Amino acid sequence: MTSPYGLQGRDAGLKGRCAVVTGATRGIGHAVARQLAAAGVRVCVTARDAEEVRRTAAELGGVGVAGSVADPDHLRAVVDLTLREFGRVDVIVNNAATNQPYGPLMDVDPTAWRDAFTTNVEAPLRLVQCAWRAWMREHGGTVVNVCTEGAAHVGPHVGAYGTSKAALLHLTQQLAGELAPRVRVNSVSPGLVRTEMARFVWEPGEDELAAGMPLGRIGEPEDVARAVVWLASDAAEWVTGADLLVDGGTRVRAAGTATGYAIHERLRSRGTATP
């Protein structure tokens, strides 16, 4: 039997479980929430826009609460809602992120730098803490953090984003060690994916970028979502502390490929503007 999300054989133990997905109304987060729901998971979605949260929750037959992951009270409310409505919290997907501040690190405002780490590193930790205390410490669970292929190298104007995501990679491994064996903690690192946040990179000259990638195209949110669902499932029951690279093979090419130069030039040409 083939499951709706591409796993072979048993249903991978996801049916009847409950998940929280942050940043779940657009892009990768939306694709993750949809594929989890298709696998029989009851989903609590969260994002900033209340109307988008309402619409996404209705689409998936789940629940949702609007707010910022940078707000600890919001994170507690998300876990409380999930437990109240579903009675359990089995899966956490930390997808919400910011790519600001954008520009050279020598020009970065310290407050904006701290805000990036609050959203990209502190919020995932706080949400896992809430889920651990409320459910996972006694019952177990899985956590998947959405990082980035860019955390492995430097790039113009994305130093705050890349550094915070590199910290999230280390946090993933640290939590995997501390929470084992009850909770598995892994991450995915997407390459260039067709999302609004990355539109300024992929939209101009997409064909040129795709031609330089080993698999011949830029990524789609569903490519990353399938990896997240696999890591959250029992099909990955002996995997923890891992980072799954989902980049169409970009990293296997030398750093000086046409694709690498094209992406970096688009970042440079962007200057300090907001992507």
Side-chain angles (χ1 to χ4, degrees), residues 175-241:
L175 289 176
E178 290 191 13
L179 304 188
R182 303 294 290 171
V183 177
R184 295 188 298 105
V185 186
N186 295 288
S187 62
V188 294
S189 283
L192 181 58
V193 176
R194 193 190 308 276
T195 63
E196 282 299 315
M197 193 165 81
R199 178 178 290 276
F200 76 105
V201 178
W202 61 261
E203 191 170 51
E206 178 183 339
D207 291 344
E208 174 194 357
L209 292 173
M213 294 181 175
L215 294 186
R217 65 175 175 85
I218 68 172
E220 301 292 345
E222 290 74 17
D223 294 316
V224 183
R226 283 190 288 270
V228 171
V229 171
W230 180 76
L231 285 170
S233 76
D234 287 353
E237 64 185 358
W238 208 52
V239 179
T240 196

Side-chain angles (χ1 to χ4, degrees), residues 133-147:
R133 292 163 183 162
W135 176 264
M136 290 184 174
R137 175 164 43 196
E138 297 299 324
H139 304 279
T142 60
V143 175
V144 184
N145 297 321
V146 179
C147 296

Side-chain angles (χ1 to χ4, degrees), residues 2-178:
T2 302
S3 75
Y5 45 94
L7 296 177
Q8 300 294 321
R10 61 196 175 115
D11 68 2
L14 280 171
K15 187 174 183 180
R17 293 186 183 175
C18 304
V20 171
V21 182
T22 68
T25 59
R26 301 180 184 181
I28 291 171
H30 191 199
V32 169
R34 287 200 315 269
Q35 292 196 24
L36 284 170
V41 177
R42 291 173 290 177
V43 182
C44 177
V45 300
T46 180
R48 288 177 177 269
D49 188 288
E51 177 56 28
E52 290 184 357
V53 168
R54 185 202 63 76
R55 185 168 58 249
T56 302
E59 170 196 347
L60 302 177
V63 297
V65 56
S68 169
V69 295
D71 178 3
D73 290 337
H74 170 65
L75 298 178
R76 285 190 290 270
V78 169
V79 172
D80 288 346
L81 175 65
T82 307
L83 279 174
R84 185 168 65 250
E85 294 295 323
F86 300 148
R88 54 195 299 159
V89 184
D90 304 293
V91 179
I92 296 292
V93 180
N94 284 305
N95 169 72
T98 179
N99 59 3
Q100 300 300 310
Y102 187 78
L105 289 184
M106 293 303 96
D107 298 332
V108 166
D109 176 76
T111 299
W113 171 268
R114 287 192 294 271
D115 289 345
F117 276 78
T118 297
T119 298
N120 295 351
V121 187
E122 182 180 324
L125 173 59
R126 285 186 179 274
L127 183 54
V128 173
Q129 287 175 331
C130 290
W132 169 261
R133 292 163 183 162
W135 176 264
M136 290 184 174
R137 175 164 43 196
E138 297 299 324
H139 304 279
T142 60
V143 175
V144 184
N145 297 321
V146 179
C147 296
T148 176
E149 186 273 336
H153 53 75
V154 300
H157 306 306
V158 290
Y161 178 70
T163 303
S164 64
K165 288 294 190 173
L168 182 58
L169 280 172
H170 187 82
L171 177 64
T172 298
Q173 295 175 344
Q174 183 69 33
L175 289 176
E178 290 191 13

